[in-house]
Amino acid sequence: MKRVAPSQGAESAPSEPETDPENSAQTTARRRFIEQSATTLGQAWAKQWRQDLHREGRPAAGGWPGTLREARTQVEINLPSELLHRKMPAITGVERELAARTAYASARNEWRRHLEPETP
């Protein structure tokens, strides 16, 4: 069987852009919104931990007491309603995990900024 080489004189059609610029801008804005919301959520979460400890008469000392599992719960409770309120599509699993990790890191950083000395 004889193989035929592709025609060298044939011009290929101009390729279409792989992404729609408007859709790309929306995706970027959505990602930015989710990340900012998760950052704010993490800061509020750390603040709530401090307040709870203070009500118990304990200092907000030591390492960040929250867990990634709790961060996922925080995201699941708070972000879907924010997206719905803004008439955005539901959060995806990948976005949810990114938001949980962002919220956790934000909470841990906020916690560290406000560490108190431990009482002896």
Side-chain angles (χ1 to χ4, degrees), residues 36-46 71 74-76 78-79 99 103 106-107:
Q36 182 57 49
S37 295
T39 298
T40 302
L41 176 62
Q43 292 167 346
W45 182 27
Q74 291 289 325
V75 165
E76 191 61 38
N78 294 286
L79 276 187
S106 173

Side-chain angles (χ1 to χ4, degrees), residues 53-120:
L53 288 170
H54 290 160
R55 268 195 297 278
E56 295 173 6
R58 297 168 53 196
W64 166 236
T67 66
L68 192 52
R69 177 182 230 167
E70 291 170 327
R72 288 184 184 106
T73 300
Q74 291 289 325
V75 165
E76 191 61 38
I77 290 170
N78 294 286
L79 276 187
S81 61
E82 280 296 317
L83 290 169
L84 183 63
H85 177 72
R86 293 175 182 267
K87 295 181 171 64
M88 293 177 147
I91 193 167
T92 67
V94 171
E95 291 171 332
R96 185 179 297 113
E97 186 63 20
L98 173 65
R101 291 179 183 277
T102 300
Y104 180 84
S106 173
R108 186 185 62 229
N109 291 338
E110 180 72 10
W111 180 265
R112 288 175 179 168
R113 277 195 292 273
H114 299 283
L115 272 179
E116 300 168 358
E118 291 189 42
T119 52

Side-chain angles (χ1 to χ4, degrees), residues 1-6:
M1 181 149 92
K2 188 175 182 181
R3 294 189 177 201
V4 178

